[in-house]
Amino acid sequence: MRRYSHTMGATTVLWCFGLFIWIHVSAQNYAGDMACTDKPQVSCGDNVCTCCTANDTAEELETGICVKTGLTYIPRMPDSVRYLIFVSNNLSAVKSPELVFSNVTEVEHLVLAWNSMCYFGPNVFSGLKNLRYLDIIGNFLTMESVRNMLSIPGLLSLSALHCDLPSPPANAFTNITSDVEIIILSSRHAGQVYDMTAFCSLSQLKVIALSLSKVINVTTTCSLQIEYLELRENGLHSLPISCSDKSESLFPHLKTLDMAGNSIDYVEKACLPASDALDLSENTFLVFESDRLKIKQFPNLRVLSLNSSTSLIWGVLSKAFSHPTLQCLVLDRCYIDFSDRGRVASDAFAGCPRLTVLSLMYNLFDDVDDARFLELFGSLNLTVLQLSHNKISLISWKIFDHFQNLRELDLVNTGLSDLPDGVFSSLRHLNWLDITDNKIATVTERTFSEEMRQELSLLGLGHNPFMCVCDLMWFRNWFVSQPTLFLDEDSSELEYACNNLAVTKLAEFYLTDQACVLSQSVNVAIILVTSAMIVTLTTVSLVFRFRWHIRLALYEVFRGRGDVKRMRLLADHFRYDVFVSYTSEDLPWVRAHLMPELEGRLGLRLCVHERDFIPGNNIVDNIADCVQSSKKILMVFSRDFVKHQWCQFELTFCLSHAMDYDDALIIVCVDDVVSSEMTSAMMAVLKITTYIQWEEFADAIEAFWGRLRLSMNEITGQIGP
């Protein structure tokens, strides 16, 4: 959502600091590629430069860009080009205009940044009759070159940032005619006092920007007629010397003074009768002292910015901002703890009868209750209040009942989780409300009265975790019917989404009236029953999936001491000693290795289904009869064993048989079986049974038969190999 609208208060904020923004962009956005971004482009200038139109519909090329081309001259450009960006090339001393600028005589805005130039003669630009804006950023120029450029007829703006120019001599610009209104400079002469006396000779000059330098003081011996002075990010400890020896103003027409990013911690004597905007942001204030804005020093002050991101404001004393004409006060990022009465006086904002715009973003309101809030701000007749990025978990109608003239309210990212019914009812003039990026799950119809819905021109509720249920349908319908109320040029429908429905935008959410007829209690009952069914089905599914793990675990816990098994072996009605379960793919191994060892050497009788199953009988009957007629069961696990359903049936049947008779299966693995391929029964058996692995080398084979004979001890009577 946009942070400022077109109300009077917000416009004041933009007006005060908008000029600096324009100068800053003008001075630094000379990079070539930026000018033609997202615009139709063609090659030009001897095919080493790029030209583009002003927009998608324009036919004539308006901008020419030559960045890092290595050119030592300015090539021929189309006559329609008005904006030429010639950056980081190889121009050096420019002395002959007919050789340098003869190809671009129609240019109005010329950027010659970072070209290693050190001198401009007096008539270099004489052929550029339409030149209005000149940027020579990053060159190494003399003050004589600056004088020559200031003399260019019709030139309105000169930017000479990063040219390492010292303070000009007092007579540097005398006896010249100049139309220049804006000068943008920077200096790296550490610790210097910058004398602006030379600029008094420039009668049309309105703006001086001297930022990103190391200036420690600014003086002048004459009256400067400028209206805007920017001294951002220097080493200044005080305001410029603005009073003459006769206590007259040396800046009688100065309207805006931008001193952000210095080391000022105290406002001393000043003579600035026309100043209506003062920016002292990011200085070194620790305490905002009482009554420092003297009416005599700033009789027309309307806007004061004291933003701070470099230091924590320790205290705000009584009537710290008292001034009869102050209309806009910005205290963003000061991290002032407004709950601390010992550090923030209850009447800190007293004495501001015209204050209508108050910005308090990024401060500390954690423990500020209704009474404390009204104690601090209740006497103010605010029309704009910005409280975003503070921790304000609850808001009350009691607060807003004292601000009935409020037109704009910013509550972005304050941690709000609830909007009480009718909380904004007393704000009859409110037309801009931003509650974006909070924790609001639902908005009831009683939150915004019908009158307020008609009055609002912008309502930001994006990036909140909406619960898209029946109670929110009214808000969804309002959102769909008036999208421009909730969306501006900086936002989209994606900001309004259902937190409880995956990948569902608020506009796409819909429930019929019939679906919302059921009472809340019925809905709760349905949810409970559905949840119980889901839990039951999940439990049944898990039990079924791990049934053999569970059965075998219980079997291991409750199994006896082998009495059942011994009694069964003593019955002596067995046809076979060992039932062998295997897949047909493993028959060669059974015949080549297993049968010769167990039958040939140990004299055991094996049940092998290819040989011993009775032809004509049902397969299930054969399996059951042979298992019942065998003393022990041996399973031959392999990759092929996993794939055969009859093998899995035999495993299941044999597991049940072993548990019924308190016995254990003998497991041999003839190859490496991947656990991801195993069935649940196989994995369960291998987890609780020590199996014997077959390996194809002599020592392993001997160990294999030794371990297998040991497992047959109950039926062979042997105790070792």
Side-chain angles (χ1 to χ4, degrees), residues 35-36 39-40 50-55 58-65 78-85 106-109:
C36 280
K39 297 176 183 178
T50 301
C51 289
C52 65
T53 58
N55 51 60
E59 295 182 358
E60 291 187 339
L61 298 173
E62 185 178 70
T63 301
I65 304 171
D79 292 340
S80 58
V81 168
R82 296 292 182 268
Y83 187 0
L84 176 60
I85 302 175
E106 302 300 321
V107 165
E108 298 176 4
H109 193 150

Side-chain angles (χ1 to χ4, degrees), residues 29 45 137 143 486 613 619 659 668:
N29 283 350
I137 300 169
M143 199 58 66
F486 300 92
F613 276 14
I619 296 177
M659 287 188 288
V668 299

Side-chain angles (χ1 to χ4, degrees), residues 257-331:
L257 177 59
D258 187 344
M259 301 283 293
N262 284 281
S263 301
I264 299 171
D265 59 5
Y266 193 79
V267 178
E268 297 182 3
K269 184 179 180 181
C271 299
L272 298 170
S275 292
D276 60 4
L278 176 61
D279 189 353
L280 295 174
S281 301
E282 299 182 23
N283 277 278
T284 55
F285 293 101
L286 294 178
V287 177
F288 294 143
E289 299 186 13
S290 299
D291 198 24
R292 294 307 307 169
L293 301 174
K294 302 296 185 183
I295 300 174
K296 186 177 180 180
Q297 297 180 144
F298 306 97
N300 292 300
L301 187 65
R302 289 194 298 157
V303 180
L304 174 63
S305 177
L306 292 166
N307 295 345
S308 177
S309 62
T310 57
S311 61
L312 179 69
I313 302 302
W314 185 88
V316 184
L317 304 186
S318 173
K319 297 183 179 180
F321 313 106
S322 176
H323 198 284
T325 63
L326 187 65
Q327 296 179 19
C328 173
L329 177 61
V330 183
L331 294 172

Side-chain angles (χ1 to χ4, degrees), residues 628-682:
Q628 194 68 33
S629 300
S630 301
K631 296 178 182 179
K632 295 292 287 185
I633 300 171
L634 187 147
M635 314 295 299
V636 181
F637 281 4
S638 66
R639 294 190 182 93
D640 295 312
F641 189 94
V642 177
K643 303 173 184 176
H644 284 262
Q645 292 184 353
W646 280 114
C647 291
Q648 297 306 314
F649 173 77
E650 285 184 355
L651 175 59
T652 302
F653 185 85
C654 292
L655 269 174
S656 298
H657 176 85
M659 287 188 288
D660 290 342
Y661 291 100
D662 200 12
D663 202 355
L665 301 179
I666 300 172
I667 309 296
V668 299
C669 295
V670 297
D671 55 22
D672 294 327
V673 184
V674 180
S675 60
S676 61
E677 298 176 353
M678 292 183 186
T679 63
S680 176
M682 291 179 68

Side-chain angles (χ1 to χ4, degrees), residues 181-254:
E181 298 178 358
I182 300 172
I183 293 180
I184 305 171
L185 303 167
S186 67
S187 176
R188 288 297 176 185
H189 293 265
Q192 71 168 326
V193 175
Y194 200 94
D195 187 357
M196 292 190 171
T197 302
F199 297 114
C200 294
S201 302
L202 307 177
S203 60
Q204 301 301 314
L205 191 61
K206 299 292 189 296
V207 176
I208 297 177
L210 179 63
S211 296
L212 303 168
S213 302
K214 298 181 180 180
V215 174
I216 61 171
N217 202 357
V218 174
T219 64
T220 179
T221 59
C222 58
S223 177
L224 270 169
Q225 305 304 304
I226 60 174
E227 298 177 2
Y228 181 100
L229 177 59
E230 178 193 315
L231 297 169
R232 296 176 71 94
E233 299 184 49
N234 284 286
L236 294 161
H237 291 273
S238 62
L239 300 185
I241 297 175
S242 57
C243 299
S244 68
D245 294 339
K246 298 180 180 181
S247 295
E248 296 177 347
S249 177
L250 297 173
F251 297 90
H253 302 291
L254 187 66

